[in-house]
mmCIF file of all heavy atoms in Angstrom:
data_model
loop_
_atom_site.group_PDB
_atom_site.id
_atom_site.type_symbol
_atom_site.label_atom_id
_atom_site.label_comp_id
_atom_site.label_asym_id
_atom_site.label_seq_id
_atom_site.Cartn_x
_atom_site.Cartn_y
_atom_site.Cartn_z
ATOM 1 N N TRP A 47 47.349 9.077 -15.764
ATOM 2 C CA TRP A 47 45.974 8.703 -16.137
ATOM 3 C C TRP A 47 45.582 7.393 -15.464
ATOM 4 O O TRP A 47 46.386 6.476 -15.342
ATOM 5 C CB TRP A 47 45.860 8.530 -17.651
ATOM 6 C CG TRP A 47 46.127 9.789 -18.421
ATOM 7 C CD1 TRP A 47 47.282 10.171 -19.015
ATOM 8 C CD2 TRP A 47 45.191 10.846 -18.637
ATOM 9 N NE1 TRP A 47 47.150 11.393 -19.612
ATOM 10 C CE2 TRP A 47 45.855 11.837 -19.397
ATOM 11 C CE3 TRP A 47 43.859 11.073 -18.287
ATOM 12 C CZ2 TRP A 47 45.246 13.014 -19.802
ATOM 13 C CZ3 TRP A 47 43.248 12.240 -18.691
ATOM 14 C CH2 TRP A 47 43.935 13.198 -19.422
ATOM 15 N N THR A 48 44.311 7.306 -15.025
ATOM 16 C CA THR A 48 43.795 6.059 -14.444
ATOM 17 C C THR A 48 43.256 5.171 -15.552
ATOM 18 O O THR A 48 42.987 5.627 -16.667
ATOM 19 C CB THR A 48 42.662 6.339 -13.443
ATOM 20 O OG1 THR A 48 41.601 7.018 -14.112
ATOM 21 C CG2 THR A 48 43.163 7.192 -12.296
ATOM 22 N N ASN A 49 43.056 3.888 -15.237
ATOM 23 C CA ASN A 49 42.495 2.957 -16.222
ATOM 24 C C ASN A 49 41.024 3.244 -16.461
ATOM 25 O O ASN A 49 40.295 3.664 -15.560
ATOM 26 C CB ASN A 49 42.660 1.513 -15.731
ATOM 27 C CG ASN A 49 44.114 1.124 -15.635
ATOM 28 O OD1 ASN A 49 44.934 1.614 -16.415
ATOM 29 N ND2 ASN A 49 44.434 0.257 -14.673
ATOM 30 N N ASP A 50 40.547 2.991 -17.687
ATOM 31 C CA ASP A 50 39.137 3.197 -18.018
ATOM 32 C C ASP A 50 38.262 2.252 -17.221
ATOM 33 O O ASP A 50 38.603 1.083 -17.015
ATOM 34 C CB ASP A 50 38.893 2.948 -19.513
ATOM 35 C CG ASP A 50 39.511 4.044 -20.367
ATOM 36 O OD1 ASP A 50 39.798 5.095 -19.796
ATOM 37 O OD2 ASP A 50 39.695 3.825 -21.579
ATOM 38 N N ILE A 51 37.138 2.787 -16.734
ATOM 39 C CA ILE A 51 36.131 1.969 -16.056
ATOM 40 C C ILE A 51 35.100 1.547 -17.084
ATOM 41 O O ILE A 51 34.409 2.378 -17.665
ATOM 42 C CB ILE A 51 35.466 2.742 -14.915
ATOM 43 C CG1 ILE A 51 36.528 3.169 -13.892
ATOM 44 C CG2 ILE A 51 34.382 1.902 -14.254
ATOM 45 C CD1 ILE A 51 35.974 4.017 -12.781
ATOM 46 N N GLU A 52 35.002 0.230 -17.306
ATOM 47 C CA GLU A 52 34.058 -0.301 -18.303
ATOM 48 C C GLU A 52 34.269 0.398 -19.650
ATOM 49 O O GLU A 52 33.325 0.853 -20.299
ATOM 50 C CB GLU A 52 32.606 -0.137 -17.839
ATOM 51 C CG GLU A 52 32.308 -0.896 -16.558
ATOM 52 C CD GLU A 52 30.855 -0.768 -16.157
ATOM 53 O OE1 GLU A 52 30.175 0.103 -16.705
ATOM 54 O OE2 GLU A 52 30.402 -1.549 -15.319
ATOM 55 N N GLY A 53 35.544 0.475 -20.054
ATOM 56 C CA GLY A 53 35.863 1.158 -21.300
ATOM 57 C C GLY A 53 35.163 0.570 -22.498
ATOM 58 O O GLY A 53 34.654 1.285 -23.365
ATOM 59 N N GLU A 54 35.101 -0.767 -22.565
ATOM 60 C CA GLU A 54 34.442 -1.406 -23.698
ATOM 61 C C GLU A 54 32.959 -1.100 -23.736
ATOM 62 O O GLU A 54 32.361 -0.920 -24.791
ATOM 63 C CB GLU A 54 34.658 -2.918 -23.629
ATOM 64 C CG GLU A 54 36.122 -3.326 -23.788
ATOM 65 C CD GLU A 54 36.285 -4.820 -23.776
ATOM 66 O OE1 GLU A 54 35.254 -5.511 -23.644
ATOM 67 O OE2 GLU A 54 37.428 -5.294 -23.893
ATOM 68 N N LEU A 55 32.347 -1.032 -22.545
ATOM 69 C CA LEU A 55 30.915 -0.751 -22.476
ATOM 70 C C LEU A 55 30.603 0.652 -22.980
ATOM 71 O O LEU A 55 29.587 0.888 -23.619
ATOM 72 C CB LEU A 55 30.416 -0.919 -21.040
ATOM 73 C CG LEU A 55 28.918 -0.686 -20.797
ATOM 74 C CD1 LEU A 55 28.096 -1.679 -21.595
ATOM 75 C CD2 LEU A 55 28.594 -0.825 -19.326
ATOM 76 N N LEU A 56 31.516 1.597 -22.676
ATOM 77 C CA LEU A 56 31.289 2.982 -23.088
ATOM 78 C C LEU A 56 31.380 3.153 -24.596
ATOM 79 O O LEU A 56 30.844 4.113 -25.151
ATOM 80 C CB LEU A 56 32.305 3.902 -22.401
ATOM 81 C CG LEU A 56 32.204 3.968 -20.872
ATOM 82 C CD1 LEU A 56 33.316 4.830 -20.312
ATOM 83 C CD2 LEU A 56 30.850 4.517 -20.453
ATOM 84 N N LEU A 57 32.050 2.231 -25.266
ATOM 85 C CA LEU A 57 32.171 2.311 -26.715
ATOM 86 C C LEU A 57 30.986 1.702 -27.443
ATOM 87 O O LEU A 57 30.823 1.885 -28.640
ATOM 88 C CB LEU A 57 33.461 1.599 -27.168
ATOM 89 C CG LEU A 57 34.770 2.225 -26.663
ATOM 90 C CD1 LEU A 57 35.950 1.361 -27.079
ATOM 91 C CD2 LEU A 57 34.923 3.640 -27.197
ATOM 92 N N LYS A 58 30.145 0.966 -26.712
ATOM 93 C CA LYS A 58 29.006 0.298 -27.329
ATOM 94 C C LYS A 58 27.816 1.232 -27.428
ATOM 95 O O LYS A 58 27.653 2.150 -26.641
ATOM 96 C CB LYS A 58 28.617 -0.951 -26.520
ATOM 97 C CG LYS A 58 29.689 -2.026 -26.529
ATOM 98 C CD LYS A 58 29.223 -3.244 -25.744
ATOM 99 C CE LYS A 58 30.284 -4.336 -25.748
ATOM 100 N NZ LYS A 58 29.842 -5.518 -24.971
ATOM 101 N N ASP A 59 26.948 0.937 -28.410
ATOM 102 C CA ASP A 59 25.717 1.708 -28.583
ATOM 103 C C ASP A 59 24.634 1.058 -27.740
ATOM 104 O O ASP A 59 24.084 0.020 -28.101
ATOM 105 C CB ASP A 59 25.310 1.715 -30.060
ATOM 106 C CG ASP A 59 24.050 2.550 -30.291
ATOM 107 O OD1 ASP A 59 23.717 3.355 -29.396
ATOM 108 O OD2 ASP A 59 23.415 2.398 -31.349
ATOM 109 N N ILE A 60 24.367 1.636 -26.574
ATOM 110 C CA ILE A 60 23.397 1.062 -25.632
ATOM 111 C C ILE A 60 22.061 1.757 -25.799
ATOM 112 O O ILE A 60 21.954 2.972 -25.631
ATOM 113 C CB ILE A 60 23.889 1.212 -24.179
ATOM 114 C CG1 ILE A 60 25.251 0.538 -24.026
ATOM 115 C CG2 ILE A 60 22.885 0.613 -23.203
ATOM 116 C CD1 ILE A 60 25.865 0.749 -22.663
#
Side-chain angles (χ1 to χ4, degrees):
W47 297 97
T48 59
N49 295 328
D50 290 342
I51 300 176
E52 298 183 346
E54 295 183 0
L55 181 61
L56 296 176
L57 296 175
K58 295 182 180 179
D59 182 17
I60 302 175

